[in-house]
Amino acid sequence: MRRLKRGVLIVFEGIDGAGKTTHAKLLEEWLRNEGYNVTLTKEPTDGEIGYLVREHLRRKDFHPATLALLFAADRMEHIEKELKPRIESGEVVISDRYVESSICYQAADGVDAEWIESINKWALNADLTILLDVDVQTAMRRMESKVRDKYEEGDFLEKVRNIYLERARRKGYSVIDATSPLMKVQMEIRRLVLQLMKEKW
Ligand code: TMP
């Protein structure tokens, strides 16, 4: 088993239908085969608060700021119970969504972005944030057969995508064109991860 001096947190971000879940899984398998101790996790989590959030995303009945608070609360439990201990023990942790999802989605839903940042201030910094960028038409086509949650509408996702791209420029996140063939996207992701690992040995 390969050991890192300190674990790392790799985050996938992007609008619904960008392919985050697929790529996070492919990356997890590849890193495991390469000998790393890997955990794949996601937000909202499968914990109690995550469950509550999913329920209200389906029912579309909570105020956007209430959702922002719940996402932040779910994240705090996630960080304290899962992310911190795993990173401290030298694991590679891959999270399908993290703080940027709150900033981009809840801001697109009318919540003040600075306030969202402030309620997430205590969150661990990710070592690598990868934005899988896809146009909304492609994303909607990929979700065609799915029952739509609160945020899975074209006009809304357009807003979210623009906020993601603007923040990625400002914060220096890695942006990958996720409309490219699957393995081309995955190879680009692996290249970024290898670069990160080299810095962390
Ligand atoms: P998922 O489809 O990736 O499981 O995420 C469920 C929805 O929750 C998705 O539409 C994005 C949204 N979301 C937020 O609005 N804010 C957040 O902080 C997170 C983690 C997800």
Side-chain angles (χ1 to χ4, degrees):
M1 189 64 72
R2 294 198 203 199
R3 292 212 70 81
L4 295 168
K5 271 187 270 181
R6 179 190 155 271
V8 290
L9 176 60
I10 299 168
V11 171
F12 282 96
E13 291 285 359
I15 61 172
D16 299 81
K20 293 176 301 304
T21 308
T22 306
H23 282 291
K25 278 193 189 129
L26 286 170
L27 179 67
E28 178 200 20
E29 279 165 26
W30 177 70
L31 284 170
R32 190 158 291 135
N33 286 336
E34 291 287 306
Y36 291 99
N37 205 346
V38 193
T39 296
L40 173 57
T41 182
K42 66 177 179 190
E43 293 187 358
T45 67
D46 286 329
E48 268 173 74
I49 308 172
Y51 178 83
L52 185 69
V53 170
R54 285 184 198 282
E55 176 69 26
H56 288 281
L57 286 176
R58 267 192 299 274
R59 286 175 20 191
K60 307 179 187 176
D61 60 345
F62 269 177
H63 188 281
T66 308
L67 285 173
L69 289 165
L70 285 176
F71 279 118
D74 183 42
R75 182 163 301 123
M76 180 163 243
E77 289 304 303
H78 191 207
I79 291 170
E80 291 302 319
K81 303 223 170 83
E82 191 147 9
L83 303 188
K84 265 192 196 163
R86 290 185 184 280
I87 291 167
E88 275 160 21
S89 74
E91 289 189 34
V92 178
V93 180
I94 304 169
S95 188
D96 182 350
R97 297 193 181 283
Y98 194 52
V99 180
E100 285 299 321
S101 283
S102 281
I103 298 172
C104 299
Y105 277 77
Q106 275 62 63
D109 205 10
V111 184
D112 179 62
E114 276 179 29
W115 179 72
I116 304 166
E117 285 196 73
S118 75
I119 60 171
N120 284 280
K121 216 167 44 198
W122 38 264
L124 286 178
N125 287 329
D127 296 281
L128 176 65
T129 298
I130 299 172
L131 173 60
L132 295 183
D133 180 51
V134 74
D135 60 275
V136 170
Q137 256 184 334
T138 306
M140 295 301 286
R141 217 178 311 119
R142 290 177 182 174
M143 287 190 285
E144 235 158 34
S145 57
K146 201 177 169 260
V147 180
R148 305 263 167 82
D149 281 347
K150 177 175 163 85
Y151 292 134
E152 294 170 335
E153 298 299 336
D155 291 351
F156 182 79
L157 290 180
E158 195 71 63
K159 275 199 226 168
V160 179
R161 181 187 183 209
N162 289 334
I163 300 175
Y164 263 131
L165 287 170
E166 196 269 320
R167 285 187 60 83
R169 255 193 309 275
R170 223 159 9 104
K171 303 265 171 185
Y173 299 144
S174 304
V175 183
I176 298 181
D177 175 4
T179 58
S180 300
L182 183 81
M183 281 321 283
K184 182 163 184 264
V185 175
Q186 180 62 204
M187 294 316 280
E188 180 60 16
I189 292 169
R190 290 179 191 175
R191 191 185 64 74
L192 293 171
V193 170
L194 278 177
Q195 207 175 309
L196 170 73
M197 295 309 194
K198 259 193 240 149
E199 291 161 19
K200 295 284 167 186
W201 274 118

